[in-house]
Amino acid sequence: ILLANTSDFDVSKDALPLGELLEIDRWMLARAAQFQQEVLAHYQVYEFHPVVAKLQVFCSEDLGAFYLDVLKDRLYTTAPGSRARRSAQTALWQLTNAMLRWMAPFLSFTAEEAWKVFAPQKKTSIFVETYADVTGWRGEELLAKWARIRDIRDVANKQIEALRTEGRVGSSLQANLVIGADAADHALLASLGDDLRFVTITSRAVLSTADALTVQVAPSTAPKCERCWHYRDDVGHDAAHPGLCGRCTANLYGAGEARTAA
């Protein structure tokens, strides 16, 4: 997935500065910096097995179950050269660059083969490389913020799954959320703006105030966009493209949608 989604990315031309990345992309790099610190601590005392176990968890939970799950909409629906997509690709490129070095000591042949695809211009082995410089990636506040967002997302997913079990929704995109939150959580989620729905992978997510966290889920009654699969009231707004929603026509034929957090 990482190699495929950076195949049209030239780091010398397309990469964005760290400060211009979307927030979830900056979180991913902060998490990668934190993870590399753990990895190098094990390698310094020749502990390989813990790295294998932790890398599996990192790939399945931090990447597969969360970051890449959220990211796929932005990668596949926004314009190829848009800031939103280039931000994602910048984070993925940096992550791949670091990850291949993490795995090289125990997945030697795989890392070497992937390195030739990832960095063909270098003409050298991955085993002459040093670990990536992740100094500028660190961000404790970002890690804490997104840890709480992931907890809230887990609660929402459980409610969506309950409706799926009842047969009332298929994918999570068919669900509309109303999230009630106390002042701290409300401020946290409000900072995501409209991108909250992309984090929860739903077609609509609305915030309300409450004494404690609550999540209400209802099936969407809006039509489904044939391109992005979101359920939106503006599907068919353009007679020339009756199957598309407003965000897809903007991404394909206009200035593109604005994304700030995810």
Side-chain angles (χ1 to χ4, degrees), residues 100-151:
L100 289 176
R101 300 156 196 254
W102 302 337
M103 66 170 59
F106 58 88
L107 286 174
S108 305
F109 292 107
T110 301
E112 185 78 310
E113 290 173 5
W115 183 251
K116 291 176 181 177
V117 174
F118 177 71
Q121 73 282 0
K122 290 211 170 183
K123 312 286 186 187
T124 55
S125 170
I126 193 172
F127 294 101
V128 301
E129 298 290 324
T130 56
Y131 289 102
D133 181 5
V134 300
T135 307
W137 299 0
R138 295 188 175 94
E140 295 303 319
E141 290 185 6
L142 209 55
L143 290 171
K145 175 181 178 178
W146 282 87
R148 180 55 182 160
I149 290 172
R150 290 177 70 176
D151 289 341

Side-chain angles (χ1 to χ4, degrees), residues 26-143:
R26 287 187 280 113
W27 165 81
M28 184 70 258
L29 294 183
R31 176 68 187 103
Q34 182 186 51
F35 185 76
Q36 178 162 298
Q37 186 175 10
E38 297 175 26
V39 167
L40 297 190
H42 287 298
Y43 280 154
Q44 284 170 2
V45 291
Y46 302 100
E47 294 176 346
F48 291 83
H49 185 266
V51 179
V52 175
K54 288 183 177 183
L55 186 58
Q56 282 184 306
V57 173
F58 179 82
C59 289
S60 63
E61 295 185 7
D62 291 306
L63 289 182
F66 181 63
Y67 182 61
L68 294 177
D69 199 28
V70 172
L71 203 64
K72 60 189 177 185
D73 179 89
R74 183 154 41 108
L75 284 170
Y76 303 152
T77 68
T78 58
S82 64
R83 173 179 173 263
R85 188 165 181 271
R86 292 308 192 198
S87 174
Q89 289 183 305
T90 300
L92 292 180
W93 189 93
Q94 296 287 8
L95 180 62
T96 308
N97 189 45
M99 183 181 291
L100 289 176
R101 300 156 196 254
W102 302 337
M103 66 170 59
F106 58 88
L107 286 174
S108 305
F109 292 107
T110 301
E112 185 78 310
E113 290 173 5
W115 183 251
K116 291 176 181 177
V117 174
F118 177 71
Q121 73 282 0
K122 290 211 170 183
K123 312 286 186 187
T124 55
S125 170
I126 193 172
F127 294 101
V128 301
E129 298 290 324
T130 56
Y131 289 102
D133 181 5
V134 300
T135 307
W137 299 0
R138 295 188 175 94
E140 295 303 319
E141 290 185 6
L142 209 55
L143 290 171

Side-chain angles (χ1 to χ4, degrees), residues 78-79 82 246-259:
T78 58
S82 64
R247 60 186 290 259
C248 281
T249 54
N251 286 330
L252 287 171
Y253 309 109
E257 64 181 327
R259 305 281 281 263

Side-chain angles (χ1 to χ4, degrees), residues 156-179:
N157 283 342
K158 288 179 181 178
Q159 297 299 320
I160 295 170
E161 187 58 34
L163 254 67
R164 184 183 286 114
T165 301
E166 296 172 5
R168 297 174 61 191
V169 299
S171 73
S172 62
L173 287 174
Q174 199 173 352
N176 290 337
L177 298 184
V178 177
I179 302 176

